[in-house]
């Protein structure tokens, strides 16, 4: 770790040489990722391992070990839009979190200014993080109704229009996908679908030619196809109910969905299900095995609170995570959610060898 003070112009270059005069590394200010205000104290760092591009860090990194996230980071956290302005991104990066799954209300103009949203995304990117937009699909919550005003707050909308024959709810598919496409006008990295399911009633809808599982899979196909047509490389992820073998109720089949979805995030929260360590591993394996059949991934979900909604200590949460990391076929970690409980150091988990 080398620290120095310097006045740097837009074209400055600093070269580090060994005692033999050979160049060991170099820094060119014009190639740095991120921006800073003139009044801010900043550092430059190749986070986390001294390789790859340079980033601007807000604050001084003097006497600190290298920290940050790599391109293949597999640790995510769900974040409410209301935390956008106060979230400690640097603190999360130091703990190994590289993926922010933030609620789509960040795009509501009555909550956040466009310039502030863009600055938030840029700040996350400057740390090497990815931004995924947490989007609600077939159930809506919050203080507003569906964007088109057709249903009341808190209602489920079926992915199937029942009849003879049954057919997919194409108007609802189109509305959800339209929102996703609008979000691509920002420099985001992924779309994350929540409530991409039935509310436990999938078996009550459709017919032999269109089951609930078929309808949810078809939505995933349409969404991914249209999103990738506009912006190739967008990461597609989805939150799944944390129960194995529950396709009948929710219409979510890991193997079918990962034909189109890159990352499953099963919400197998011990606070909700009371899973034992062994049962939680079995659930993680079920989702992981389904995803792996399509060469996709499953990032296991953990609540950061207990059954009484009390935040967990870092040690307790780490114990749950270690059980999955060491004993299951999951590929990553997803924490629900920011602002509740304490988070352990996860830098060592799911790192490439």
């Amino acid at each position: 770790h080398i620290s120095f003070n310097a006045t740097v112009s837009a074209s400055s270059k600093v070269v580090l040489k060994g005692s033999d005069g050979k160049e060991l590394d170099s820094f060119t200010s014009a190639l740095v990722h991120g921006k800073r205000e003139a009044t801010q104290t900043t550092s430059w760092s190749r986070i986390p391992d001294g390789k790859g591009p340079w980033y601007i860090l807000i604050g001084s990194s003097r006497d600190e070990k290298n920290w940050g996230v790599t391109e293949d980071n597999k640790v995510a956290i769900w974040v409410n839009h209301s935390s956008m302005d106060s979230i400690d991104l640097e603190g999360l990066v130091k703990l190994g979190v590289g993926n922010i799954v933030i609620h789509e209300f960040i795009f509501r103009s009555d909550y956040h200014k466009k310039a502030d949203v863009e600055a938030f995304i840029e700040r996350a990117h400057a740390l090497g993080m990815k931004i995924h937009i947490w989007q609600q699909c077939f159930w809506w919550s919050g203080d507003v109704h569906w964007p088109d005003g057709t249903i009341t707050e808190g209602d489920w909308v079926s992915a199937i229009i029942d009849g003879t024959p049954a057919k997919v709810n194409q108007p609802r598919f189109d509305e959800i996908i339209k929102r996703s496409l609008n979000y691509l006008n920002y420099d985001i990295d992924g779309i994350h679908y929540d409530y991409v399911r039935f509310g436990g009633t999938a078996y009550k809808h459709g017919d032999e030619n269109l089951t609930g599982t078929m309808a949810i899979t078809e939505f995933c196909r349409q969404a991914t196809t249209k999103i990738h047509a506009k912006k190739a490389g967008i990461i597609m992820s989805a939150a799944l109910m944390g129960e194995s073998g529950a396709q009948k109720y929710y219409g979510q089949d890991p193997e079918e969905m990962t034909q189109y979805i890159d990352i499953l995030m099963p919400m197998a929260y011990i606070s909700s299900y009371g899973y034992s360590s062994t049962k939680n591993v079995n659930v993680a394996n079920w989702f992981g095995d389904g995803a792996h059949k399509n060469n996709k991934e499953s990032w296991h979900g953990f609540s950061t609170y207990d059954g009484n909604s009390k935040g967990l200590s870092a040690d307790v949460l780490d114990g749950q995570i270690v059980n999955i990391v060491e004993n299951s076929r999951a590929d990553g970690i997803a924490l629900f959610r920011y602002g509740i409980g304490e988070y352990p150091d996860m830098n060592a988990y799911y790192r490439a060898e």
Side-chain angles (χ1 to χ4, degrees), residues 98-114:
N99 294 268
I100 301 297
V101 185
I102 191 163
H103 194 273
E104 62 184 311
F105 276 9
I106 62 169
F107 299 119
R108 278 185 54 176
S109 60
D110 55 336
Y111 284 158
H112 305 283
K113 296 179 180 178
K114 181 179 180 181

Side-chain angles (χ1 to χ4, degrees), residues 39-53:
T39 57
Q40 288 179 314
T41 298
T42 58
S43 309
W44 303 304
S45 181
R46 277 180 167 163
I47 51 179
D49 52 8
K51 300 177 182 179

Side-chain angles (χ1 to χ4, degrees), residues 55 250 293 341:
Y55 295 91
Y250 305 115
K293 289 178 181 178

Side-chain angles (χ1 to χ4, degrees), residues 212-249:
T213 298
M214 291 177 183
I216 295 301
T217 302
E218 172 60 13
F219 168 78
C220 294
R221 185 194 69 79
Q222 290 188 26
T224 297
T225 299
K226 292 178 180 179
I227 287 168
H228 284 171
K230 180 172 181 177
K231 190 173 181 180
I234 283 289
I235 302 165
M236 302 297 295
S237 64
L240 282 74
M241 291 297 286
E243 306 166 33
S244 57
Q247 300 95 317
K248 172 183 177 181
Y249 302 102

Side-chain angles (χ1 to χ4, degrees), residues 33-34 45-48 54-58 67-71 87-94 97-98 100 120-130:
H33 294 245
S45 181
R46 277 180 167 163
I47 51 179
W54 288 89
Y55 295 91
I56 286 179
L57 306 182
I58 305 303
W67 52 268
V69 292
T70 54
E71 178 69 20
I87 186 171
D88 181 7
L89 293 178
E90 286 82 1
L92 289 174
V93 166
K94 289 182 180 182
V97 178
I100 301 297
F120 166 75
I121 295 171
E122 187 172 35
R123 181 172 149 235
H125 284 167
L127 294 167
M129 300 176 112
K130 293 185 177 70

